[in-house]
Amino acid sequence: MTTTLLRTADELHARVRRGRRAVVMTMGALHEGHATLIRTARGIAGPDGEVVVTVFVNPLQFGQGEDLDRYPRTLEADLKVAEQAGADVVFAPSVEEVYPGGEPQVRISAGPMGERLEGASRPGHFDGMLTVVAKLLHLTRPDTALYGQKDAQQLALIRRMVRDLNFGVEIVGVPTVREEDGLALSSRNRYLSPQERRTALALSQALFAGLDRHVALEALRARAREVPATRARAEALSALGESRAAADAHAVAEATPGNPAAVRAAARLVLDDAARFDPPLRLDYLALVDPSDFSEIGDDFTGEAVLAVAARVGATRLIDNIPLTFGAAS
Ligand SMILES: Nc1ncnc2c1ncn2[C@@H]1O[C@H](COP(=O)(O)OP(=O)(O)OP(=O)(O)O)[C@@H](O)[C@H]1O
Ligand SMILES: CC(C)(CO)[C@@H](O)C(=O)[O-]
Ligand code: BAL
């Protein structure tokens, strides 16, 4: 398969559409995470449809002092990755092509969800991101658009925009692709020195520590449901001198409340440790949130949640997250 490079909206519009169109939006510097999105898009579009990959470093979503100028731009290599993964078209417009009148005066507002976590650390980021996503959806007119779970808040906001503003496009989320040691693939990983990369591993390790604690507590919780009179049982076992069994039954009885706090604490321990590494990890946030609005979940929360982390290592800011389900088994 040969991938066609298009640079202008006119070229894109002149292209005769065929079958189902699936779009993957990127800022370039493509890696295996992007390739996975493109392969998934190929599967959705099928052999008779088409896959369009956009490559555009959007100035609108970068704040002052962020890495807009040094963000890697590697179009030649990107074309090869896109082609190998099955893209029909790479649409790589210039800034002037996307914003012909300069910065747009009318923009999408991300609302309250866009002010939390990433939005609090990067004011205006999500307005700029949604504005370009809206433009790219209008330019590429896909049936389906795919985004990575790695940028969970971005994915949630795009879903919200599409629903709230009736964009009429299917949004598909793709699970995070990781290195073998757990580090989430990210274009910004290429900024890291080997020492910084070692420290950066703490992000995913913290999430997995939170996940391990979560799995253990959910198992206890499920057992608590099976044994209704657990506290009474613990006391009875204790009275009989069965101290280990009593301690176990006690843990089951106490497992129900406080799971989110315990998950946060387990992750936090790993991050606190990494704050003492050389170079140190500087935590921006660790949060356990409801993915429908990215607000912190309470101790009695049940359903899908996201454990999210953002931190700086040297001059590089990285994010990662992991989905967790509370009270799954009933
Ligand atoms: N490791 C990954 N797994 C799955 N999807 C990913 C991964 N990394 C990026 N993506 C997705 O690829 C799309 C384009 O992302 P982008 O070009 O910003 O790459 P990135 O690696 O996230 O870069 P950055 O370092 O800027 O965060 C987004 O939908 C993003 O969520
Ligand atoms: C969705 C996106 C391409 C918009 O610029 C960007 O935020 C990204 O690469 O995740
Ligand atoms: N990967 C999300 C885009 C950004 O960091 O600007």
Side-chain angles (χ1 to χ4, degrees):
M1 159 174 314
T2 340
T3 301
T4 307
L5 173 65
L6 304 178
R7 305 288 278 182
T8 68
D10 284 348
E11 284 171 1
L12 194 60
H13 290 150
R15 190 179 161 86
V16 180
R17 283 179 78 104
R18 58 179 173 86
R20 193 174 180 81
R21 182 179 275 184
V23 166
V24 174
M25 296 180 188
T26 80
M27 302 205 303
L30 300 189
H31 50 64
E32 188 52 32
H34 299 115
T36 303
L37 262 72
I38 299 168
R39 282 194 292 271
T40 310
R42 182 78 266 160
I44 289 170
D48 300 330
E50 56 183 1
V51 174
V52 177
V53 175
T54 69
V55 174
F56 180 63
V57 183
N58 173 36
L60 230 54
Q61 70 190 70
F62 285 78
Q64 279 216 331
E66 289 188 11
D67 55 346
L68 173 62
D69 293 336
R70 74 171 180 138
Y71 199 86
R73 287 155 172 93
T74 60
L75 188 58
E76 280 306 306
D78 292 347
L79 281 169
K80 291 198 180 96
V81 175
E83 183 158 289
Q84 282 243 311
D88 299 292
V89 173
V90 167
F91 176 53
S94 64
V95 173
E96 295 68 36
E97 184 67 23
V98 176
Y99 302 119
E103 289 206 348
Q105 293 195 23
V106 176
R107 300 181 189 203
I108 302 278
S109 162
M113 203 206 309
E115 286 165 15
R116 301 184 183 130
L117 303 194
E118 280 303 282
S121 298
R122 304 181 65 187
H125 165 66
F126 284 127
D127 291 0
M129 180 280 292
L130 287 180
T131 301
V132 85
V133 168
K135 285 194 71 131
L136 291 170
L137 286 173
H138 292 319
L139 287 165
T140 57
R141 288 176 290 135
D143 300 291
T144 304
L146 297 91
Y147 302 89
Q149 174 70 31
K150 204 254 312 172
D151 297 277
Q153 197 174 0
Q154 164 172 291
L155 172 60
L157 279 163
I158 292 170
R159 285 192 196 284
R160 194 78 216 201
M161 173 179 77
V162 162
R163 198 170 72 222
D164 287 356
L165 303 182
N166 300 85
F167 271 56
V169 57
E170 179 195 32
I171 302 298
V172 170
V174 176
T176 302
V177 180
R178 298 179 179 281
E179 305 266 16
E180 226 163 78
D181 59 8
L183 185 72
L185 293 181
S186 165
S187 302
R188 289 185 170 101
N189 289 351
R190 59 181 79 191
Y191 297 150
L192 300 170
S193 70
Q195 292 85 345
E196 288 173 338
R197 193 192 177 289
R198 268 200 297 278
T199 298
L201 253 188
L203 273 88
S204 55
Q205 283 170 347
L207 298 178
F208 290 127
L211 175 65
D212 285 349
R213 179 67 57 90
H214 173 67
V215 169
L217 288 172
E218 284 292 313
L220 276 174
R221 204 165 144 139
R223 280 180 57 199
R225 273 194 293 267
E226 282 162 20
V227 188
T230 315
R231 252 194 206 92
R233 192 166 157 257
E235 277 155 24
L237 285 167
S238 219
L240 289 170
E242 296 279 349
S243 59
R244 266 192 53 199
D248 187 37
H250 186 71
V252 169
E254 296 304 312
T256 308
N259 278 8
V263 169
R264 283 189 200 95
R268 184 68 204 229
L269 222 56
V270 176
L271 296 165
D272 286 348
D273 216 30
R276 293 186 286 272
F277 290 176
D278 179 22
L281 178 136
R282 286 174 293 132
L283 184 63
D284 188 342
Y285 61 76
L286 170 72
L288 186 51
V289 296
D290 178 343
S292 70
D293 64 0
F294 274 75
S295 62
E296 286 282 351
I297 62 169
D299 275 350
D300 54 356
F301 180 88
T302 55
E304 298 289 319
V306 169
L307 181 62
V309 63
R312 282 171 209 282
V313 183
T316 305
R317 184 173 181 281
L318 297 169
I319 61 172
D320 197 356
N321 71 86
I322 201 163
L324 305 173
T325 307
F326 284 86
S330 58

